[in-house]
Amino acid sequence: MDEEPKAKRRRFDAANDDVNRLTIRSRSQEGGDDFSTPTLSGNISASNSLTRPISPPITTRSQKPSIDLTEEEISLTSGAVAPNSLKQLTQSGIQLIPSPIHLTKVEGLSPALNIDTISLQDLVGDPLIRECWVFNYLFDVEFLMSKLDEDVRSEVQVKIIHGSWKKEDSNRLGIEVLQPLPLHDFKRHLLTTIRLLKDAMTRHKNVQSIAAYMPEAFGTHHSKMIINIRHDYCAQINIFTANIVAGDWRMCQAVWRSPLLPLSELASKSLSASVLPHVGTGARFKADIIAYLNRYGNKLRILTGQLIKYDFGDVHAALVASTPGRQNLRGTNSEQETLWGWPGLKNVLRTVPSSSEQQSHVVMQVSSVASLGSGDSWLRETFQETLASSAISSNSTLSHAEPKFSLVFPTADSIRRSVDGYGSGGSIHMKTQTLQGVKQLKYLRPLLCHWSGDHSEMQISAGLSEPGTRPLTTSSVREAGRRRAAPHIKTYMRFTDESMTRIDWAMVTSANLSTQAWGAKENAAHEVRVCSYEIGVVVWPGLWGNDVEMVPTFGKDIADVEMAPDGGSLVEHRPKSLTGGVEGYKGGTTKISKKIGMRMPYDLPLVPYRDGEMPWCTIMPDNEPDWMGRVWPGFGAG
């Protein structure tokens, strides 16, 4: 159990804290999304010439994101597999594939907890980047520019795509204007001190601001994506969960990265067909992301005109995105047109087989829960029904039982002991103090589980466990290494079995649990209204071929090889439906040839809330000091 230093109690005061270490923000919009102004970073000096050599163009297709481990590679994977087990690993015939979803590096955590992680500099710091298209909600442009390679910082064409299209919008002013903003209403926002960016367009001539039109009053431009066009004739797409502000990179976040996408003479012809490619193929991912970018209108035609020329054949993911507007489910053919929000997610999950003869377990993990209604109609009948979708055939012997559902969300205790203490609390929202919030909490409570696995240790030391469950032991807790990183990450996963040792599919996305992000319930006219821009990816074992399984990994991206008691390799057999489609299921078992890691952001097993435990609520004051000795006065009330 981590130790927190004792500190004298003092009031949480943004004016008295180091702005570079503590980002205070309120994200209290109805959609559960972000509302803030970025902080001011230091001046950036940049070279006016290129001083690093540029590699020759890549002429072959980029390497697939899978590896056959050598002894040298094993030594570089932080001890994922001990060198003396190399022989058994090779004999097993199981190919290990690193997690397609990565955690971000968290400042303030030890190097041992930041193995196989990704930083913002990893996303934008390559000197071969020619154009950097950055989609997000919050921006600190100086922070972003500081992560670019210093030798090409003034040469990279940086495009900032945001949703602050109104002239008076605070985030837009933070991006584009020289003068500081007036302080926000103290009764509604805890922003006692505001340091704002100066005019980014004046300081950086290579930065361009592009505002997305926001037709919905409660919608936000919440997508988090970076598309890089490179000098070596490749492109790369990065989809993640963090805002472009320093404080977000001290929280738990996740990143999905495409392989380097090479130019192809035939690539532009792949989108001319009237029927969309199959879900899960690189061609379908390309069609869907081009469709998403086209929703911005002509503002991104230069980007789409370039992306269409690249080969997406090595992409192993399905895109799931949201864009503002209404779509008629009766009048839309999913084989010819990309669907948005929960209809798009359901369309993807209907192609993913369930590999379990047991009840599966779907875990929703978000940083914000919006107002879903006093009743559970939308959650149960629309969203959970979507998450329960699968490609089980009608003649399958597998169980059609409704999955078990859980919702991972932090308590005040997790926030107090996080890297930024209460400073990270303004990024995490669930309303529990209003009448509707009380009613909503009543139906959410059976689903709620702790973010921080420390609660497992607390239960162990107290000899406690949940009714009907096995007593917890220290050895049974699989630690993700993110207990002290407050969660701004958003993940949704379907675990195959009760022990949560295998995964049917996993999704990382910008979308929190809200109707604005995923879309409202289908109305009488069969329309679904979506308010916000969101983007994410779904991955599952079948994207890497047959005889593949996906397993949770902890503290690293590569799975362990299971060993038999005699020290030999353990070659496992799974149901054939593990990777096959609806038509491919014939029953029986199949030998596993590939094992994909899925990097976990939270500990397993999950620890349900006990009676009296409450989710973190930014509005509620908290007089118990965080590890830095500060108390939380609450904000947004009144």
Side-chain angles (χ1 to χ4, degrees), residues 213-216 219-221 223 288-296 319-327 337-342 515-519 528-535:
Y213 177 61
M214 302 298 301
E216 295 285 346
T220 60
H221 185 268
S223 294
D288 288 341
I289 198 165
I290 293 297
Y292 172 81
L293 296 173
N294 283 337
R295 298 286 289 179
Y296 290 81
L319 191 79
V320 174
S322 297
T323 63
R326 297 174 184 266
Q327 52 190 341
E337 184 177 345
T338 301
L339 299 178
W340 311 113
W342 66 258
T515 59
Q516 290 80 8
W518 288 108
V528 174
R529 178 190 177 191
V530 179
C531 295
S532 297
Y533 289 92
E534 307 279 0
I535 198 161

Side-chain angles (χ1 to χ4, degrees), residues 447-492:
L447 309 177
L448 285 170
C449 294
H450 287 274
W451 165 258
S452 175
D454 304 74
H455 241 78
S456 301
E457 296 177 1
M458 294 174 187
Q459 287 187 318
I460 293 168
S461 62
L464 300 173
S465 62
E466 290 300 310
T469 64
R470 293 185 299 272
L472 293 171
T473 63
T474 303
S475 60
S476 69
V477 178
R478 293 174 281 170
E479 297 184 16
R482 286 297 180 270
R483 296 175 176 179
R484 300 286 72 80
H488 192 258
I489 185 175
K490 306 104 170 81
T491 59
Y492 303 79

Side-chain angles (χ1 to χ4, degrees), residues 606-617:
L606 298 177
V607 180
Y609 279 34
R610 294 181 301 200
D611 290 344
E613 292 182 324
M614 294 288 290
W616 165 254
C617 177

